[in-house]
Amino acid sequence: MIFRYVFLALFIIINSLTAVRSETIPVYGSPELYPIHFFGDDGNAVGYWVDVLDELSRRTDIKFEQKLIGVRDGRDKIVNNGERALLGVILTSSAKFDRYRGFDFSEPLGEFNLRFYSSSNVNLSWMDLNNLPNRIAVIGRRGAFAKGWLERNSDDQIEFLEVDSFEDGLSKVLTNEADAFFGAEWATRFAYNNYFKSETGLIEGPVVFTSGMALATNSPNRDLIFGVNQVSSQPDFQAYLLKTYLKWLPIKPLSPSEYILQKQNNINNNIVTIVGLSI
């Protein structure tokens, strides 16, 4: 009889622990940050971040579920409603010390870069913060990061052409309505490779800002960050992140130096062809 009660008590304890460990944690992000996270054709969230969260779920027995309602709305749910949840954020000083005061952050789980992009018809000498073009297309919707960063870090008088999407920004560049587009590397490459088949090439400038992407939440939920960091410290997890990064990172446009080299090679090939014909 005693063994029966002991067995029953153990059964209840194990079930209660399993219930705690099997909780579902929402992870809030922006709905259109291709290919980091976005809605697929079936209406479900897909992308790099979703794959990483699935791997974290597999290694922790907690279901991390991507919710694409916007980071600021997600923050309100955590701070104002006391929801047990996480945010996917870019690790910037403004994120750490202003908007997310009192939040804990995981170790970086990905890389975030900002670059300039221009048409191959445009002079390439502006590709740095000291000599910017006059008309720069940027994402203008609420919470857009690139425009605010550029305003804080450049003294040039810039005419910002606000657009609603990355493909809209590139369209303005490729039709010469803007001198350049400034935005996130992943999303810009994704838009170019998926929406444009242009005779005019796109030139990718050097990285002018780089940071990490991480998970964040307020102090009452810091055990979630502790669990994520435990996984992040596993030696094979970094290899997984790199493999997943390469899986989702789109093919890059030409860099300025590659474009110049290609143009020179084309000229040389034309000269060889003309000489061959003349002989």
Side-chain angles (χ1 to χ4, degrees):
M1 181 66 74
I2 293 175
F3 287 110
R4 193 164 134 195
Y5 284 118
V6 170
F7 177 78
L8 182 60
L10 287 173
F11 179 78
I12 293 171
I13 291 171
I14 290 170
N15 271 334
S16 65
L17 288 174
T18 303
V20 171
R21 294 184 55 162
S22 299
E23 65 180 324
T24 297
I25 299 297
V27 180
Y28 293 110
S30 301
E32 295 178 0
L33 191 55
Y34 304 94
I36 298 172
H37 40 60
F38 59 99
F39 289 113
D41 293 336
D42 59 359
N44 294 319
V46 293
Y48 170 83
W49 209 230
V50 177
D51 284 359
V52 171
L53 294 178
D54 286 345
E55 185 67 12
L56 288 172
S57 299
R58 190 181 71 81
R59 296 185 185 222
T60 61
D61 291 333
I62 295 175
K63 174 61 177 174
F64 294 98
E65 188 174 25
Q66 184 78 75
K67 298 286 188 180
L68 301 182
I69 67 168
V71 173
R72 292 194 179 189
D73 290 341
R75 176 191 173 278
D76 289 343
K77 285 180 175 290
I78 294 173
V79 174
N80 299 330
N81 301 345
E83 185 171 339
R84 185 165 164 80
L86 293 165
L87 304 176
V89 300
I90 300 166
L91 292 172
T92 66
S93 57
S94 61
K96 282 195 173 185
F97 300 114
D98 297 332
R99 191 181 307 158
Y100 304 115
R101 189 177 298 276
F103 272 50
D104 287 356
F105 297 80
S106 74
E107 293 298 318
L109 298 171
E111 187 176 87
F112 179 88
N113 297 321
L114 290 176
R115 295 177 184 263
F116 289 104
Y117 293 83
S118 73
S119 160
S120 57
N121 292 333
V122 175
N123 187 331
L124 303 176
S125 63
W126 57 264
M127 289 287 189
D128 60 68
L129 286 175
N130 298 319
N131 187 24
L132 293 178
N134 296 322
R135 303 170 303 161
I136 300 179
V138 291
I139 302 294
R141 59 176 176 261
R142 176 176 176 253
F145 177 76
K147 179 186 175 185
W149 186 91
L150 195 56
E151 287 176 327
R152 291 191 300 272
N153 290 277
S154 173
D155 296 328
D156 288 2
Q157 296 298 313
I158 300 169
E159 178 188 350
F160 287 108
L161 306 177
E162 295 190 359
V163 296
D164 294 326
S165 67
F166 287 85
E167 52 267 35
D168 289 344
L170 292 182
S171 179
K172 288 193 177 296
V173 166
L174 295 174
T175 57
N176 296 320
E177 294 177 64
D179 300 315
F181 175 74
F182 185 61
E185 172 187 80
W186 284 30
T188 308
R189 289 186 184 184
F190 183 91
Y192 181 65
N193 287 315
N194 284 273
Y195 297 108
F196 295 95
K197 304 295 180 186
S198 173
E199 292 295 325
T200 301
L202 189 72
I203 307 301
E204 181 178 86
V207 173
V208 296
F209 171 84
T210 187
S211 185
M213 299 184 297
L215 295 174
T217 192
N218 58 355
S219 55
N221 299 316
R222 62 167 47 126
D223 61 297
L224 297 174
I225 299 299
F226 178 76
V228 169
N229 285 342
Q230 281 190 313
V231 174
S232 180
S233 66
Q234 296 172 7
D236 64 325
F237 188 70
Q238 295 305 312
Y240 169 81
L241 290 179
L242 177 60
K243 181 179 72 174
T244 308
Y245 173 82
L246 295 175
K247 168 189 169 183
W248 283 103
L249 184 67
I251 298 171
K252 80 178 189 69
L254 294 175
S255 69
S257 59
E258 288 169 337
Y259 173 72
I260 292 171
L261 180 61
Q262 183 188 76
K263 192 173 181 180
Q264 185 61 51
N265 287 339
N266 290 340
I267 293 173
N268 292 339
N269 289 337
N270 289 337
I271 292 173
V272 169
T273 301
I274 292 171
V275 170
L277 289 174
S278 65
I279 293 174

